[in-house]
Amino acid sequence: MANNFLLEIGLEDMPAHVVTPSVEQLKKRVATYLKDQRITFANIEMFATPRRLAVIVKDLADKQPDIDEEVKGPAKKIALDADGNWTKAAIGFSKGQGASVDDIVFKELKGVDYVYVQKHIQGQPVQEVLAGLKDVITAMTFPTLMKWGGANSLNYIRPIKWLVALYNEEVIPFSILDITTDKVSEGHRFLGHEAVINTPLEYEEKLTEQFVIASLSKRKQMIKDQIAAIAQNNNWQVHIDPELLEEVTNLVEWPTAFAGGFDPKYLVIPDEVLITSMRDHQRFFYVQDSEGKLLPNFISVRNGNDHMINNVIAGNEKVLTARLEDAMFFFEEDQKVNVADYVERLKKVSFHDKISTMYEKMQRVGVIANHIANAISLPDAARADLTRASEIYKFDLVSGMVGEFAELQGVMGEKYALLQGENSAVATAIREHYMPISANGELPTSTIGGAILAVADKLDSVMTFFAAGMIPSGSNDPYALRRQASGIVRIITDQDWSLNLNDVLVGVEKEEQAAGVAPAIDLASQNEAVIDFIKDRVRQYLGDLKVRYDITDAVINGLENNILFIVKSAQVLTNHKDDADFKNVVESLTRVLRIADKAESLVTVDPALFENESETKLYEAVSELTKTIAGLTADQLYTKLVAISPIISEYFDATMVMAKDEAIKNNRLSQLHELAQMIYHLGDLNQLVVKS
């Protein structure tokens, strides 16, 4: 008969967002523990609800395998004294291994004799090994913790209420504080009773009898099926948001979906407000007609059966109506204030007390946006819209609706801007400047406002927070500067903008000073740190693209501060890494880099000091490359460096760079230094790992 084991941790209700990652952690920890203990098994199934984390381990071995191993001890000269008697070191070592000095043998290792003993380790029964899972349970980590248990307290996600540890039909005994393992689980808090589990494989069935669907996947599918049935019966379209579905699944043990409604008068409120009220605040699924128009209905999921379901529906409708009534009030009141008045109010809203007001931030962002527009040659026709957007883009922050629904900042700005006569380009920019709102979130689609304004706004935040001394360290990033820097990298790459970070920072600082909008902090002092910070996000971006680590190191550590050029360089090196000549090209270029680094005093290269034709050829090739390098793409630069590679090889074959004549040596080192600087624009190729 196969051996199976059930472990269930019964808890007070956990937050929905920790349920799935916690049971995945439990599964991983149990698997690691069993493997470390040399207990084989077939697979592990996981189960979770708001009140339990559980795993079933199938087909376990009934014991650990025995182990015979040879254990090395001290050297022979330490194990024996001058008279050939055993020392305390030898005696202690043998005892520690469960042996005696009679079991010691000597073996040579690298010319030295050492003490060895043969050690036999008897495998433990699986029951004894499983008792050690107590430590696995208490070692689990969670994003939030509760301290419970009185004097002998334990920090855990929630207090443990019961424990089930069942090997076949045998309870594995251990305790956590005053909770001892048993074969008794708890059913649904209101509908069920205790569930006595006789064997691990009847776990799901026994809980189902007590109104608990223990399987995450089965519970999720039940919810989807119930929603689909309601939608079909009413001829509705329902968008099942994956994140909301996951959350609802982890809020219930016995799901029952139901439909409710609200007064159609609230449909005058923007859809985004209605959807946010239903989805984010009440965890309702919103409903649309066949044409995608929002309907005054919703679907929710109850943790229980359909008993008195009408009362449940009425209660949910009442709560939603109260929130929609607030939204209606704010929507109507907000429209009584014009955009100019909102902008004026921003003069009293702090961006950060060490930096400036929000109004002053908008002024700085206007300068940055204009600088970017010049750098990418934005058409004049779009300048007016960009300027207008930068003047007002934060105005909705002081609206009543955003005060109540903070997640709608930007969204309400777009709505209110259109209602007050702003054109669509300006309105879109107001909404899109927040993008991306997550690591892999959607990017702005409009160049005029969304992309330029988004980069300008994020760049100002990074620059000013760094200058004010609020630099992220470790996991501490309260102002989400890493996410904003990642957004800068993703947008610039997506838009294919060639922007040198150093030029942008220096130019912006001068233009802000000239415009009289510079903050009272030293921006320039942190330019290098800001560039390094953003380049670290480029490193992460390349990692997400699965670029090889050595190629990433090469392009990040080069001289280039142009985000797009760095990314393109990584792509070029990736595309050519398997070329037949790649190794030879890289070796010739890195030889230039290594020798050029020896230059101590640079001089203007003087062809009159050349002693052979190879020096002249290299000089002419470098001079030609110097003329064109400013306009080259990464691919073009690589192609030209490949073309120079044979000339470099010929040069080194014919030329002793470190000549005895100091003038000739410095002339040659300076010539190589010029070439090295151009190679470094592609990247520090010394970082590359090339195939032999």
Side-chain angles (χ1 to χ4, degrees), residues 23-184:
V23 75
E24 289 173 345
Q25 179 189 171
L26 177 62
K27 176 182 177 180
K28 183 177 180 181
R29 285 179 178 270
V30 169
T32 299
Y33 173 77
L34 293 176
K35 289 174 183 176
D36 290 345
Q37 294 295 319
R38 310 188 309 282
I39 296 293
T40 60
F41 58 92
N43 65 293
I44 299 179
E45 292 185 13
M46 59 185 185
F47 305 87
T49 76
R51 300 175 63 223
R52 72 198 74 232
L53 303 170
V55 292
I56 294 178
V57 187
K58 294 187 174 181
D59 296 339
L60 288 92
D62 55 10
K63 65 183 291 291
Q64 294 174 321
D66 295 346
I67 295 179
D68 290 299
E69 62 181 2
E70 190 174 62
V71 183
K72 175 175 156 294
K76 182 177 181 180
K77 63 181 180 180
I78 297 173
L80 296 173
D81 62 19
D83 298 324
N85 298 315
W86 295 111
T87 64
K88 289 182 179 180
I91 296 169
F93 166 71
S94 61
K95 284 184 177 180
Q97 302 303 320
S100 70
V101 290
D102 294 335
D103 299 310
I104 290 177
V105 296
F106 294 108
K107 290 187 178 182
E108 182 183 322
L109 179 65
K110 296 182 179 179
V112 179
D113 286 334
Y114 286 93
V115 165
Y116 284 86
V117 296
Q118 294 292 327
K119 184 177 180 180
H120 178 77
I121 302 175
Q122 185 74 30
Q124 289 183 314
V126 70
Q127 292 93 326
E128 293 183 27
V129 174
L130 292 174
L133 287 171
K134 168 187 175 178
D135 295 331
V136 171
I137 296 171
T138 55
M140 290 181 67
T141 59
F142 306 95
T144 56
L145 297 170
M146 287 183 66
K147 186 175 182 179
W148 63 283
N152 300 313
S153 60
L154 174 68
N155 289 322
Y156 217 63
I157 181 62
R158 289 293 185 270
I160 296 176
K161 307 300 289 184
W162 73 89
L163 289 167
V164 176
L166 192 61
Y167 174 66
N168 295 332
E169 299 179 357
E170 176 185 352
V171 173
I172 302 298
F174 61 82
S175 297
I176 297 177
L177 298 186
D178 61 344
I179 307 298
T180 301
T181 54
D182 201 343
K183 59 170 59 179
V184 180

Side-chain angles (χ1 to χ4, degrees), residues 75 148 184 241 331 382 537 615:
W148 63 283
V184 180
D241 182 274
F331 185 59
R537 299 305 99 192
E615 290 184 87

Side-chain angles (χ1 to χ4, degrees), residues 247-310:
E247 182 178 14
V248 171
T249 299
N250 289 332
L251 284 170
V252 301
E253 293 193 316
W254 188 263
T256 299
F258 61 88
F262 56 88
D263 195 317
K265 71 178 183 179
Y266 296 116
L267 291 175
V268 299
I269 303 171
D271 286 359
E272 291 85 351
V273 178
L274 296 173
I275 291 171
T276 297
S277 297
M278 289 185 279
R279 181 190 60 203
D280 299 348
H281 293 242
Q282 302 304 133
R283 302 184 182 92
F284 296 166
F285 296 88
Y286 63 89
V287 171
Q288 296 171 309
D289 64 16
S290 58
E291 297 179 354
K293 182 179 178 181
L294 199 65
L295 294 174
N297 302 96
F298 64 85
I299 295 176
S300 185
V301 180
R302 178 191 192 184
N303 184 22
N305 57 20
D306 60 2
H307 180 66
M308 301 290 287
I309 196 70
N310 289 334

